[in-house]
Amino acid sequence: EALVINDPDFQHEDLNFLSRSQRYEQAIRKSSLMVLKLREHGIADPDEIYWFKSFVHRGRPEPLDLHLGMFLPTLLTQATPEQQDRFFMPAWNLEIIGTYAQTEMGHGTHLRGLETTATYDPATQEFILNSPTVTSIKWWPGGLGKTSNHAIVLAQLYTQGQCKGLHAFIVPIRQLGTHEPLPGITVGDIGPKFGYDEMDNGYLKMDNFRIPRENMLMKYAQVEPDGTYVKPLNDKLTYGTMVFIRSIIVGDSARSLSRACTIAIRYSAVRHQSELKAGEPEPQILDYQTQQYKLFPLLAAAYAFHFVGAYIKDTYRRISGDIIEGDLSELPELHALTAGLKAFTSWAANAGIEECRMACGGHGYSRCSGLPDIYVTFTPSCTYEGENTVMMLQTARFLVKSYTQVSSGQRVTGMVSYLNDLSRQRIQPQHVAARPVTVRINDPVSLVEAYKARAARLVEAAAKNLQAELNHRKSKEDAWNRTSVDLVRASEAHCHYVIVKLFTAKLSEISNAAVRAVMTELCLLYALYGISKNTGDFLQAGILTDTQVNQVNQHVKELLAIIRPNAVALVDSFDFHDVHLGSVLGRYDGNVYENMFEWAKKSPLNKTEVHESFHKHLKPMQAKL
Amino acid sequence: DVNPDLASERLTASFSVEELTARLDGGAEHTRMRRAVVEAIEKDPVFSRENQYFQSQNERYEAAVKRAVYLQKKMREMGWTENGPEVKYIYRCLSGDVAFSLHHIFMRSISVLGSDKQVAKWIPLATEYQIIGSYAQTELGHGTYLQGLETTAVFDIASQEFILNTPKISAMKWWPGDMGRSATHTVVFAQLYVRGKCYGVHPFIVQIRSLRDHSPRPGVTVGDIGPKMNFEHIDNGYLMLQNVRVPRENMLSKFCEVQPDGTYVRRGSQKINYFTMTTVRISILSEEVILPLMKACTIAIRYSAVRRQSKLKPGEQEEKILDYQTQQQKVLPQLAAAYAFHFINIYLHELFNRGYQEIQGRNFDSLPELHAFSSGFKATVTQYCTSGLEICLRACGGHGYSQLSGLPSLYTKALASCIYEGENTVLFLQTARFLIKCFMAASAGQPIPPSVTYLSSMKPGKCPAKDKLDFLSPDIYLKAYEQTAIRLLSSSAAKLQHLIQSGVEKHEAWNQCTVQLVKAAKAHCHYITVKNFVETVEKLDNKAGIQKIMKHLCDLFALHGIFSNAGDFLYDGYLSGAQMDLVTASYLDLLAVIRKDAVPLVDAFNFTDKSLNSALGSYDGQVYQRLYEWAQKSPTNQQVNPAYGKYLKPLLQNKLSKL
């Protein structure tokens, strides 16, 4: 951290004042430097690289992300030893800069729909790559527009007249030396986006572009010189990468929300507004109940997501050993769970960041607050690496499958084991809701049970509705579609349960009594606030009574007051450096107003005292009127 | 050529699109006028927003000034006047991307707060653009709470001048539009001091820039506050005053005046002024959030009919994403809300026009009610529309994040409305204060204003619905909304009473109830919105299928609200769990019904492609072609890549392999 912050080479003007082109240029400059310095300092540990990188770019995307994060790893996992010899070292030394081109203009999450083709020509032993339609143009890959000279392209493989599905190909796109696009390649930047200004997300169109047979990544599937296709052994392996990337997004949700909370809570302690009591000085806005109600549940969520992210990462590490051994038994559940948790946490963090921004009033809207930037950088994660609704439905598929297993007398394990209780209950023909749950609203463990009961009820309701649709002799797909709103609700309830459960489990691991006490308060707040926002589910299922709902609402407000004195300390604990936070409102020293003024003076509109448009437009108009 | 996926959607409309457009415009003659204005403006290249997404803050600002200046010329050419019926269509067509909006507020504040003499002096100058005005109220450290402002204006009897000062950094004026670079004058709100006594906040006309060379006047520090989440075209500014003197005549003195000897005189009623402030909150709704939500629905729904994704059934073509229930659940409730708010906006305007008549007749009885309306609905509509806009953005998958979709800029612009003209939470609490007062009065058997008479009709009961079709009856769902609104309010009132009786100080008791009070105020506004939608539908005749489709939208808006706030309706058992399942079933059925008319329903908003300025939302649905063409116009593709020669080339050419 200090290594980067103290390095004058990494300093630059505030990004908010730069144009897109300038921001891209700065990012490239820093990335180039970063690579040099990493080697200079001999940093090779992935975690250290991650920290170094996130400090150089202050948690922002950069044009080499895809090269480092996708191109190199894909070479490592999917290239044959010969291919690694040819490509890996040049790529490691950045003679080759690559990206990963999967998404097309007309096709995203549904991979099988991709249209780019790679047709094998045994006469020349080459693949002919084509973008047959406008919708098949590769669109969005980071670093593709202006930076990369190679791309790993996903395309439908055709050999001997048959389509063999999606495969990956190494495609050179720009001339080494001049960086001009190669003949047959059309490549460029997709234009301005909602954030990601420094990233040259690109498009790529290929017209009869030929690459040698050896450029297909052939560690698993292969095409022999005569065009014979050799099938891969196991295609479940790709699940592992997806789980890994989604676990990173859960961690990102926690981090981004933590940053936003840090800014909003510190600023709320500095900002004074109106009067609570006539004649007294304006109070800190953090003393208003409505402000606490906006911010503290988000603070609790930031902590909750932090623990969830750590859990997935640990679980993944634990079972990835098994995967290498060929034991894939735990993978489906983890895969299903991370899909849902990715969606749940990114939706919540996305809404939370906006809530934090709104809680900062007008100044939250200024780019100096840093909040617009955190938002635009984070919000695409609701869509990339699997659109959230689709993710929720993946989790739902697993839940319904588990429910069906339980119904047919099998037992299920892991996070869905609560479904086992449903079958035991079915001995008496009563609705799950009728089961009395005695909820103690001051006890996290008891609240976990309440969330469990809610999840069980919603999974059961969705499964039953699905069955009812099927009984109307609808096709399986229509029935699924007509139940999908219910299914998403069931997934959300399941994820919510998992989060409350993991947060609660974490409490007993905390040895410091004071820390445990404050974490217990946050955990209670997280759980109770979740109930108060979803009272419908709990009331309808008979898990809580009206009186208990009242108590929950009341207790939420008591917790706000209890957490208030620790609020600033709780965000200080996230330990974001001011430079990393990038916010005038969220400064550690709280000197907000003087620094806002200093910041504004640097705005491009203030470069001259009299703006040129005065001479160009205003003055002539005044003269004419 | 219209994309066949979109063309097919238009063949099955259950109603006449043209007829609905005319209803939305308030009559076919208005539609004609709107189209004429739009055509005149759009064919003029000066007003093109084609490059908007590629411009820097400086370029956006310059273009907005240029358009504003040119607009004056255009208006004269076309014979349009500032008070004419065309004006709202002009601004709708320009999508607000034009400078000098604060200039108009400057003029209005002088008209409302100035004496006849002041009006006679300043208004002609401003009309002729000999001066350009702004309106400087908000300070760095103070927003919605006006009394907290710190700028001072001290009257100096000797020179007959006010001396204006910014005593500390948090008192600096911050945010006023058109002030950073353009304005020559501004109305400054400052604490008035005469002979050491503070008389509260008053407005002063202050010249901030030279009329000759536009340089700041002595004692004035003024500039742009820097980049924001949107509004790149507006030069929101800061202003610091150090012993700036203005003549006594520059204090706007319709209601209060400082006489030459320093005597402070108050005259007339400020209530009209108060009323004006209230109407501003309502006047922004259409342009700032309802129209943007309509645009976003147009973009998201047309795109959802063109975009295909995954297969519902193996072997078939990939499905339009609009056919997925989860997609319908995202975009169709927003469409229903856009209509609901369009109708509530009409209702509010009628209400305020009536109120204005009464006030002109010196009858101020309806003021508190109007104030509660303006606060509550400003907050409700801006909040709902803003979140609806974001839902539309995220419903467009990856392409929604491209600026070229038009959605990011619609969203980031609209969301400022949750803060300006009164922060929403504060506004909800103002409405709550009014509601609590009325509730107490009703409990004590006193008369209460017409909009809240329902508060006295609380009786315990159960919803009588037995079948999912029962929930398509407005009587059934309106009653449910009414009961919920009453219950939320009465429980907050009871809590407040209880706290006060148990010895908690009044202000502290209020603060402890604010979370509940906000909820109660929202429920009230939601109820009124549904009620107004129902009444609007009842008044429609079913010519050309309009009433039927509007009834579906009304039902959807109502049931979506119950579905999304189930807890509030289940609590106290007004709706049972089984009835909530019926609501859900009915709600999901409606999605499938409205799905069929989704594209015609957005076509009826009748936005031109130019005003949508979206690669995803054009009428012809040629989404991918347009995205590709527009991307190629990006400066990143038009200019030489500056990073290549400087950084990439050395990097690529092997400087590293030596390491």
Side-chain angles (χ1 to χ4, degrees), chain A residues 23 25 28 37 41 90 205 216 275 292 295 298 351 490 496 544 560 562 591:
Chain A
R23 284 173 82 145
E25 196 179 323
I28 285 281
K37 301 228 172 190
H41 297 302
K205 185 168 175 290
M216 174 173 143
E275 51 187 16
Q292 295 168 0
L295 297 176
L298 297 173
H496 212 158
L544 294 176
L560 299 177
I562 292 172
N591 292 323

Side-chain angles (χ1 to χ4, degrees), chain A residues 51-113:
Chain A
W51 287 115
F52 195 89
K53 186 173 121 54
S54 83
F55 266 91
V56 169
H57 292 284
R58 300 172 194 173
R60 305 194 48 75
E62 53 110 352
L64 293 187
D65 274 349
L66 274 275
H67 177 75
L68 302 171
M70 288 298 288
F71 190 78
L72 290 175
T74 308
L75 284 181
L76 280 177
T77 53
Q78 297 189 36
T80 63
E82 296 79 22
Q83 289 174 325
Q84 300 215 5
D85 285 348
R86 270 172 63 214
F87 293 108
F88 192 79
M89 277 324 282
W92 179 249
N93 287 332
L94 288 133
E95 288 158 50
I96 288 178
I97 296 178
T99 179
Y100 189 84
Q102 175 178 302
T103 302
E104 295 173 0
M105 191 154 19
H107 310 276
T109 306
H110 180 65
L111 278 186
R112 275 163 298 166

Side-chain angles (χ1 to χ4, degrees), chain A residues 16-17 24-25 28-29 36 93-95 97 105-108 110 113 134-135 139-140 146 149 177-179 186 188-190 192-194 203 205 271 273-277 282 287 289-290 293-294 347 350 354 357-358 361-363 365 367 372 375 379-380 383 387 389 475 477-478 481-485 489 535-536 539-540 546 550 554 557 593 596-597 599-601 603 605-606 608-611 613-614 616-618 621-622 625, chain B residues 53-54 57-58 61-62 66 69 76 100 128-130 132 140-143 145 148 172 174-175 181 213-214 216 222-231 238 307 309-310 312-314 318 323-326 329-330 390 394 397-399 401 403 408 411-412 415-416 418-419 423 425 495 505 507 511-512 514-516 563 567 570-572 577 580-581 624-625 627-628 631-632 634 636-637 641-642 644 646-647 651-654 656:
Chain A
N16 286 307
F17 302 132
Y24 167 69
E25 196 179 323
I28 285 281
R29 185 182 71 83
L36 290 167
N93 287 332
L94 288 133
E95 288 158 50
I97 296 178
M105 191 154 19
H107 310 276
H110 180 65
V134 179
T135 46
W139 199 269
W140 282 109
K146 298 277 134 182
N149 54 26
T178 66
H179 212 57
T186 311
D189 173 86
I190 63 163
K193 297 139 298 191
F194 199 27
Y203 58 76
K205 185 168 175 290
R271 177 82 174 184
Q273 169 88 38
S274 307
E275 51 187 16
L276 268 172
K277 193 176 179 181
E282 297 183 50
D287 287 332
Q289 190 189 54
T290 44
Y293 190 70
K294 285 175 195 171
W347 265 336
N350 184 67
E354 277 297 73
R357 188 187 55 70
M358 301 271 228
H363 296 331
Y365 197 77
R367 300 255 288 266
Y375 175 71
T379 188
T383 304
E387 197 278 328
T389 303
S475 78
E477 294 78 10
D478 278 340
N481 189 25
R482 289 187 58 89
T483 321
S484 52
V485 167
R489 280 178 75 188
T535 45
L539 284 171
Q540 198 177 359
D546 282 4
N550 264 345
Q554 189 50 35
K557 287 181 270 184
Y593 297 128
M596 274 184 83
F597 188 34
W599 181 86
K601 283 194 252 178
S603 165
L605 279 184
N606 291 331
T608 56
E609 194 65 75
V610 175
H611 194 267
S613 60
F614 170 71
K616 270 161 83 178
H617 305 295
L618 293 179
M621 167 182 73
Q622 288 168 336
L625 282 167
Chain B
Y53 302 127
F54 304 129
Q57 193 195 358
N58 255 322
Y61 164 69
E62 190 182 327
K66 184 175 168 190
V69 168
R76 227 164 311 139
F100 302 158
E128 295 291 303
Y129 283 89
Q130 296 307 298
I132 296 166
L140 192 45
H142 310 274
Y145 180 67
M172 195 171 359
W174 200 272
W175 282 108
R181 302 276 84 190
D213 62 5
H214 214 60
V222 62
D224 173 86
I225 63 162
K228 299 139 292 189
M229 209 165 179
N230 196 313
F231 290 90
Y238 58 75
R307 176 78 174 186
Q309 170 85 45
S310 308
L312 269 175
K313 287 173 204 156
E318 288 186 51
D323 285 321
Y324 288 92
Q325 192 186 51
T326 45
Q329 193 211 6
K330 287 176 196 171
E390 202 205 8
R394 282 197 274 130
H399 295 323
Y401 294 103
Q403 291 280 358
Y411 172 60
T412 52
L415 53 79
C418 294
I419 308 286
E423 195 275 333
T425 303
K495 172 90 187 296
E505 281 188 85
H507 69 272
N511 190 26
Q512 284 185 26
T514 44
V515 166
Q516 260 173 290
F563 174 79
L570 286 166
Y571 184 95
D572 83 4
M580 193 52 75
D581 285 339
Y624 300 116
Q625 198 58 44
L627 255 182
Y628 187 41
Q632 283 165 307
S634 171
T636 39
N637 294 324
N641 177 359
Y644 176 67
K646 279 195 248 177
Y647 308 111
L651 185 67
L652 288 164
Q653 293 181 355
N654 226 351
L656 287 167

Side-chain angles (χ1 to χ4, degrees), chain A residues 483-502:
Chain A
T483 321
S484 52
V485 167
D486 294 329
L487 289 162
V488 169
R489 280 178 75 188
S491 282
E492 284 179 335
H494 176 70
C495 294
H496 212 158
Y497 153 69
V498 169
I499 295 170
V500 173
K501 183 181 154 83
L502 291 174

